[in-house]
Amino acid sequence: MADLDLRLVRYFAAVAEHRHFGRAAAALHTTQPSLSRQIRRLEGQLGARLLDRTPQGTRLTRAGEVFLPRAKELLDSAEQAAASTRAAAAPSRVTIGYRTNLFVTAAARELRHRHPEAEVLTQHLGWTETRAALLEHRVDVAVTRLPLRTDGLRVTPLYEEERVLLVSADHRLAGRESVTLADFADEPLPRLDDPEWNAFWRIDPRPDGSRAPDGPLVQEFEEKFELIAAGQLAAIVPAGVWFSRLRRDVTIVPIDGIEPCQVALATRAGDDNDLLASACKTLETHLTSPEAAGLRVSAR
């Protein structure tokens, strides 16, 4: 059985990423000759050449191509094992993730008061970042909106939040008491690179089987705002996000006949320690309803 040195595996992954020994050495804060020696050591342990030098840089051999995804899995697994062990042995820190307008300030303040010996941190999460942030141990508990892939996670629903239509202030639907899907059936809606997000937040496909018109693929909050304010897009959004307070050139309109979204608490399925349990209980106490969370649920 090969007794692999994870440090050597990390060096190989860096060279494979940069495709150049010099750039990889700089990223690893080592010298190029030293890095070359470490790669040769790894190749000796494996009994296979992993990299070939070329005039353009470095390329993977067939063996290197086979080893690279397994090397990444080894490094990820080692990091998760270390993080889980530290958390189980002596949890003295908890990081609370939260999505836009899901306020955790009061809960974090109470948790710091209850556990003065612990470090309580908060971290904002992007639209589709919750699952990765939990599984990569960047946060320990997250207040998030569904949908969310739940395998490997423990998810506790907290409350429901209406979904509304966000349009420009001079849009033809602005000022309406409410709208239905038919009223904006032809409006292009923004997309993300997440099929579950698209299906729920674009209502795609529609109940009649038709597809939602495609808007551009957006990654940034500000980019989406600009397109909507310019009248190029509409978007289905949670009512609790106070878009119209952030900008006067957009407004929200209630949508009739669609299900609300859910706000939920998520943790890693295997995590279990007193500090995390206290954090979850405190968050649930403060976030059992939109009113308790300081959110509005009406567009009016």
Side-chain angles (χ1 to χ4, degrees):
M1 187 189 311
D3 186 11
L4 294 182
D5 184 335
L6 286 179
R7 182 172 57 93
L8 303 184
V9 176
R10 186 173 294 106
Y11 284 172
F12 163 72
V15 178
E17 176 185 354
H18 291 279
R19 300 299 169 105
H20 193 279
F21 270 84
R23 290 194 291 270
L28 292 166
H29 304 290
T30 188
T31 64
Q32 189 170 335
S34 174
L35 179 58
S36 296
R37 288 194 297 272
Q38 303 308 322
I39 295 299
R40 286 196 296 271
R41 282 186 58 198
L42 178 63
E43 289 174 332
Q45 290 180 3
L46 293 170
R49 193 176 75 259
L50 301 174
L51 298 161
D52 282 333
R53 293 178 184 265
T54 71
Q56 292 75 34
T58 305
R59 69 184 179 191
L60 294 168
T61 64
R62 175 58 185 155
E65 291 176 350
V66 170
F67 183 60
L68 180 58
R70 291 162 175 79
K72 291 179 178 179
E73 289 175 4
L74 280 171
L75 295 172
D76 289 344
S77 178
E79 176 59 32
Q80 290 183 17
S84 297
T85 301
R86 287 193 297 269
S92 60
R93 181 174 69 182
V94 64
T95 302
I96 302 169
Y98 63 95
R99 292 276 299 280
T100 299
N101 264 53
L102 297 179
F103 302 112
V104 299
T105 308
R109 184 183 296 118
E110 180 178 328
L111 200 59
R112 293 184 186 109
H113 178 73
R114 285 188 183 182
H115 301 275
E117 78 290 352
E119 185 178 13
V120 179
L121 305 176
T122 59
Q123 180 177 324
H124 180 262
L125 301 175
W127 290 326
T128 61
E129 194 181 3
T130 301
R131 178 178 172 79
L134 283 165
L135 295 182
E136 293 169 8
H137 290 258
R138 287 185 277 128
V139 301
D140 302 297
V141 55
V143 182
T144 188
R145 293 183 177 92
L146 303 183
L148 176 69
R149 278 181 53 202
T150 59
D151 48 308
L153 302 179
R154 182 169 56 234
V155 177
T156 304
L158 297 176
Y159 61 85
E160 293 184 342
E161 197 177 11
E162 294 176 15
R163 287 188 288 171
V164 297
L165 187 68
L166 180 67
V167 295
S168 63
D170 59 357
H171 192 277
R172 62 184 177 83
L173 298 175
R176 292 271 295 267
E177 288 296 322
S178 64
V179 294
T180 65
L181 279 174
D183 291 323
F184 58 95
D186 297 327
E187 294 281 346
L189 303 176
R191 296 174 293 124
L192 289 187
D193 52 1
D194 184 311
E196 288 184 88
W197 188 97
N198 288 332
F200 185 79
W201 288 103
R202 289 164 43 82
I203 312 182
D204 187 21
R206 302 288 163 80
D208 63 2
S210 63
R211 303 307 301 260
D214 279 347
L217 191 69
V218 296
Q219 300 293 345
E220 299 295 334
F221 195 75
E222 292 77 10
E223 176 189 12
K224 180 170 145 179
F225 254 132
E226 284 298 322
L227 293 169
I228 293 170
Q232 296 176 263
L233 288 178
I236 299 170
V237 299
V241 181
W242 297 345
F243 294 97
S244 56
R245 290 192 180 182
L246 298 174
R247 294 181 60 149
R248 295 184 178 181
D249 50 4
V250 299
T251 188
I252 56 176
V253 185
I255 305 173
D256 293 332
I258 67 170
E259 64 177 314
C261 67
Q262 282 196 323
V263 174
L265 201 64
T267 62
R268 290 178 290 275
D271 282 8
D272 185 18
N273 62 67
D274 291 342
L275 182 57
L276 179 61
S278 181
C280 291
K281 183 177 180 180
T282 304
L283 286 163
E284 287 188 49
T285 300
H286 283 270
L287 295 165
T288 51
S289 70
E291 292 78 11
L295 303 177
R296 68 176 180 183
V297 294
S298 172
R300 295 294 170 198

